[in-house]
DNA sequence: TGGATTTAGATGTCTATACCAGTTAAAACA
DNA sequence: TGTTTTAACTGGTATAGACATCTAAATCCA
């Protein structure tokens, strides 16, 4: 399980190992995991190294400690799942639904002033505009429009979009989204939303505007979505900041 | 600065000290702080102890490290402000508005099954129910109903509520909310909401249900709010979880 | 039996040391 | 002068041990 010769740090190996046991349900919530000294003896590693692994897992919310008692498995929180959320696809899968989508339009347009400001690029810079109806279990869930600076994601095709845009971005272009800001508000469905989402006029929708950033701070994408209020609820967990 | 005889752990003292320097602007963003070895020598403490302090500050987002270069002060992110958000009052102040509220009703009721489940208490346990219209710059912003288990916050009075419920909870009862989950959805204003929020019937509202937890995991409060969609937008930053 | 005390074992704090791996700038070299 | 090497930093990983503090079970005693 633990390979001391590996270039991967020991604490990280132990971390991944324990994380696996939790995610596979072998270690159950509120169950005590072996003590630090047990890990230390079993794998012949120092107790401080074990602590480093456990501390990371505590920080990530997988474990919690009780002085004098032991270290325990945390309940799988919705939060952990949602924090990693980047795409509609991931979100729906988390909710146990099958995501799909129908492309409405796909073109390259010059960024008008407002969009340019939001994407932090110059006016009229080419931008991909992708409009899609997002579905869950084959029912319309949201109408989504994405804007991506063309210079960041060259050679985008309909095929890639229909397959998995995010997979392409992460694996082929090896770009990683590190942070995102969301603005969420309520509204009444507009005409295009009424028709694409198949709701009655006057129906409420949840508008979510997400701006995603890369590690270096580059603005990567702007996504405007209108969700059917009767089908979608946004769930979100937050920790109180230290004073 | 560092008192080795103090019952307060050394790493914690150093942590608070550095945090102060950052919050008071003495250490500026992207500025390097002294190296681990410097702290170690200056205060005659072990480097591992210094690392424990710095690690905590990195985890809390105050610092970031660069291998081979040093440890630097982070920019104060909006996220950090929003993460600490717990109450309507704090939220409005962040937005530069003056919060106020009008009490509609205040009573102790037995928890019905659904509420009991959400608060994680037994059925018919006494619960405070507080209904208020929340205002920003004297304009109705939201209709809010709070539920708090009576045994957790004994002796609540109208006066306390009108003054500052959260201040009372944190300072008098010394309870700290460590985590909260929010569910956000869009809807159409109901009759009571129409009248209290002074909107037309058919107007959209943003429904937010917040459940707050104490450090030990106790469910502390359930707050249901209906915000005027034309005045309120929920903003939220998230980091991508590590894979 | 029931309450106080002991004890074993858990996490928490801290030390002192060692070596590794990036980064940078000065020193040596061509 | 311009390039390369080197040395002196930085944080990252890992060890082995000490003592503190808290918890719960075992033990003892009235």
């Amino acid at each position: 399980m633990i390979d001391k010769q590996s270039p991967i740090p020991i604490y990280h190996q132990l971390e991944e190992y324990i994380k696996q046991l939790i995610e596979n349900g072998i270690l159950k919530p509120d169950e005590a995991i072996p003590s630090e000294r047990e890990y230390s003896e079993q794998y012949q590693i120092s107790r401080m190294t074990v602590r480093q692994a456990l501390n990371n897992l505590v920080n990530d919310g997988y474990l919690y400690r009780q002085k004098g008692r032991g270290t325990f498995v945390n309940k799988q929180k919705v939060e952990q799942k949602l924090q990693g959320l980047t795409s509609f696809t991931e979100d729906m899968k988390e909710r146990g639904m099958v995501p799909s989508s129908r492309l409405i339009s796909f073109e390259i347009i010059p960024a008008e002033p407002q969009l340019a400001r939001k994407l932090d690029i110059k006016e009229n810079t080419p931008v991909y505009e992708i409009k899609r109806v997002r579905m869950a279990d084959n029912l319309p869930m949201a109408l989504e429009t994405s804007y991506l600076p063309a210079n960041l994601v060259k050679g985008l095709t309909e095929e890639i979009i229909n397959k998995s845009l995010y997979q392409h971005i992460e694996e082929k272009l090896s770009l990683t989204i590190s942070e995102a800001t969301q603005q969420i508000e309520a509204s009444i469905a507009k005409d295009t939303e009424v028709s694409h989402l198949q709701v009655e006029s006057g129906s409420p929708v949840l508008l979510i505007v997400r701006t995603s950033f890369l590690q270096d701070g580059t603005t990567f994408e702007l996504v405007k979505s209108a969700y059917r209020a009767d089908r979608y609820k946004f769930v979100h967990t937050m920790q109180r900041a230290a004073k």
Side-chain angles (χ1 to χ4, degrees), chain A residues 162-231:
Chain A
N162 285 328
K163 219 172 153 194
S164 173
L165 177 55
Y166 271 84
Q167 203 175 323
H168 176 76
I169 287 164
E170 300 221 318
E171 292 175 12
K172 293 278 158 43
L173 306 176
S174 61
L175 296 173
T176 309
I177 290 165
S178 64
E179 205 178 288
T181 304
Q182 293 193 135
Q183 297 189 6
I184 304 173
E185 56 185 311
S187 184
I188 300 295
K190 292 180 185 59
D191 289 348
T192 50
E193 290 155 7
V194 164
S195 61
H196 282 116
L197 295 178
Q198 297 167 20
V199 291
E200 290 174 17
S201 72
S203 296
V205 288
L206 195 67
L207 299 180
I208 301 186
V209 179
R210 180 171 61 239
T211 315
S212 302
F213 305 91
L214 301 180
Q215 285 141 326
D216 62 3
T218 312
T219 307
F220 174 71
E221 186 191 23
L222 182 73
V223 183
K224 297 184 181 186
S225 311
Y227 284 85
R228 277 184 65 144
D230 57 343
R231 291 190 180 145

Side-chain angles (χ1 to χ4, degrees), chain A residues 135-147:
Chain A
M135 289 169 289
D137 292 343
N138 286 319
L139 292 173
M141 180 68 102
L143 181 62
E144 182 188 281
T145 311
S146 304
Y147 299 94

Side-chain angles (χ1 to χ4, degrees), chain A residues 113-121 209 211 213 219 222 224:
Chain A
Q114 207 189 352
L115 180 61
R117 207 175 55 247
K118 285 183 182 166
L119 284 174
D120 199 21
I121 54 177
V209 179
T211 315
F213 305 91
T219 307
L222 182 73
K224 297 184 181 186

Side-chain angles (χ1 to χ4, degrees), chain A residues 21-22 24-33 72-75:
Chain A
L21 295 182
I22 293 173
N24 296 340
I26 297 167
L27 287 173
K28 294 183 184 72
D30 294 323
E31 190 177 317
I33 67 168
F72 306 85
V73 178
N74 234 329
K75 287 181 277 290

Side-chain angles (χ1 to χ4, degrees), chain A residues 2-208:
Chain A
I2 302 289
D3 176 8
K4 289 204 185 190
Q5 308 315 320
S6 163
I8 298 164
I10 296 173
Y11 74 91
H12 193 259
Q13 294 181 44
L14 181 58
E15 216 179 305
E16 291 301 316
Y17 171 62
I18 297 173
K19 205 188 282 186
Q20 281 307 313
L21 295 182
I22 293 173
E23 282 171 355
N24 296 340
I26 297 167
L27 287 173
K28 294 183 184 72
D30 294 323
E31 190 177 317
I33 67 168
S35 77
E36 297 174 355
R37 285 185 173 81
E38 279 182 62
Y39 277 122
S40 171
E41 282 175 28
Q42 173 163 9
Y43 299 111
Q44 287 297 299
I45 54 181
S46 134
R47 195 185 140 215
M48 290 306 283
T49 303
V50 176
R51 278 185 70 79
Q52 189 170 357
L54 300 191
N55 277 334
N56 288 343
L57 291 172
V58 168
N59 270 321
D60 289 349
Y62 286 93
L63 301 174
Y64 62 93
R65 316 180 92 123
Q66 280 185 23
K67 197 174 174 176
R69 300 223 314 131
T71 306
F72 306 85
V73 178
N74 234 329
K75 287 181 277 290
Q76 287 258 54
K77 289 178 199 160
V78 192
E79 171 229 349
Q80 273 163 15
K81 296 180 180 175
L82 284 179
Q83 254 187 2
L85 160 73
T86 336
S87 68
F88 179 85
T89 307
E90 284 181 46
D91 191 6
M92 289 307 123
K93 281 184 183 167
E94 287 295 343
R95 292 165 193 251
M97 293 187 276
V98 180
S100 57
S101 59
R102 189 164 53 76
L103 189 63
I104 296 174
S105 69
F106 168 50
E107 45 189 334
I108 296 188
I109 57 168
E112 12 126 20
Q114 207 189 352
L115 180 61
R117 207 175 55 247
K118 285 183 182 166
L119 284 174
D120 199 21
I121 54 177
K122 285 178 188 163
E123 275 182 42
N124 299 319
T125 307
V127 166
Y128 284 111
E129 187 200 62
I130 306 166
K131 286 195 187 183
R132 284 182 285 184
V133 175
R134 296 298 213 155
M135 289 169 289
D137 292 343
N138 286 319
L139 292 173
M141 180 68 102
L143 181 62
E144 182 188 281
T145 311
S146 304
Y147 299 94
L148 300 97
N151 67 319
L152 289 180
V153 281
K154 292 178 183 114
L156 214 54
T157 63
E158 277 196 31
E159 204 188 336
I160 292 171
I161 294 170
N162 285 328
K163 219 172 153 194
S164 173
L165 177 55
Y166 271 84
Q167 203 175 323
H168 176 76
I169 287 164
E170 300 221 318
E171 292 175 12
K172 293 278 158 43
L173 306 176
S174 61
L175 296 173
T176 309
I177 290 165
S178 64
E179 205 178 288
T181 304
Q182 293 193 135
Q183 297 189 6
I184 304 173
E185 56 185 311
S187 184
I188 300 295
K190 292 180 185 59
D191 289 348
T192 50
E193 290 155 7
V194 164
S195 61
H196 282 116
L197 295 178
Q198 297 167 20
V199 291
E200 290 174 17
S201 72
S203 296
V205 288
L206 195 67
L207 299 180
I208 301 186

